[in-house]
Amino acid sequence: MIDFSKAFDLGDHPILLAELVRSGLPNRAINWIISYLTGRIQAVKCNGKVSADANVNTGSVQWSGIGPMLFVMASDLHTLSNVNVLMKYADDTNLLVPTYSDLELAPEFDNVKQWATQNRMVINLQKNKQISGAPMFTHCH
């Protein structure tokens, strides 16, 4: 289980939009997403005082309906082997490697780390979990 830190805050808009274009999404939908992501500002209110407006040039609105879908749709992250599986839901990613050897898991995780670096994402190594299990079925004699 792989945790991306601040995935909704760090998403790079040009990278995100380039991935959406490569995905084959219709131009009309891409233009709507560009409109949704650009020109956003935010301010902070604390103890009755409001900060100056700041432009928001990365990420998406975390509790929006489209934010989690943008992360999944725009992610070109894939496995190195076709027997391994990536399961993505919003910013949660699970890498399934049906093996009993860390030798086969390590290259897949290195691939995820390389993708994260290229896409300006940060993997939270403290929150990642590796789950290993015994075979589901054993042969009895």
Side-chain angles (χ1 to χ4, degrees):
M1 293 184 270
I2 302 166
D3 181 78
F4 291 100
S5 295
K6 300 189 178 280
F8 290 101
D9 298 332
L10 297 176
D12 184 276
H13 289 173
I15 291 173
L16 172 72
L17 295 171
E19 287 302 318
L20 291 173
V21 168
R22 278 194 288 275
S23 76
L25 204 59
N27 286 340
R28 190 173 180 176
I30 291 170
N31 290 336
W32 182 85
I33 292 169
I34 289 170
S35 173
Y36 173 76
L37 291 175
T38 57
R40 297 184 92 74
I41 58 170
Q42 67 182 21
V44 176
K45 183 175 182 178
C46 182
N47 295 327
K49 296 186 181 202
V50 179
S51 71
D53 289 345
N55 291 322
V56 179
N57 298 318
T58 60
S60 65
V61 179
Q62 187 163 0
W63 295 104
S64 69
I66 194 170
M69 288 306 301
L70 285 175
F71 187 85
V72 172
M73 288 179 356
S75 173
D76 63 344
L77 177 59
H78 60 277
T79 61
L80 298 173
S81 169
N82 61 0
V83 298
N84 299 332
V85 176
L86 273 170
M87 295 174 30
K88 297 179 266 185
Y89 176 75
D91 62 338
D92 295 323
T93 302
N94 292 321
L95 173 62
L96 306 176
V97 180
T99 182
Y100 302 106
S101 167
D102 283 344
L103 293 174
E104 293 167 348
L105 178 60
E108 287 289 4
F109 188 62
D110 288 344
N111 178 55
V112 173
K113 290 190 294 187
Q114 181 180 10
W115 177 89
T117 300
Q118 291 171 344
N119 288 275
R120 298 185 183 153
M121 301 299 290
V122 176
I123 296 174
N124 185 340
L125 296 176
Q126 283 73 38
K127 288 188 176 180
N128 288 347
K129 296 201 182 340
Q130 180 178 344
I131 300 172
S132 305
M136 289 180 61
F137 301 102
T138 57
H139 296 284
C140 298
H141 296 284

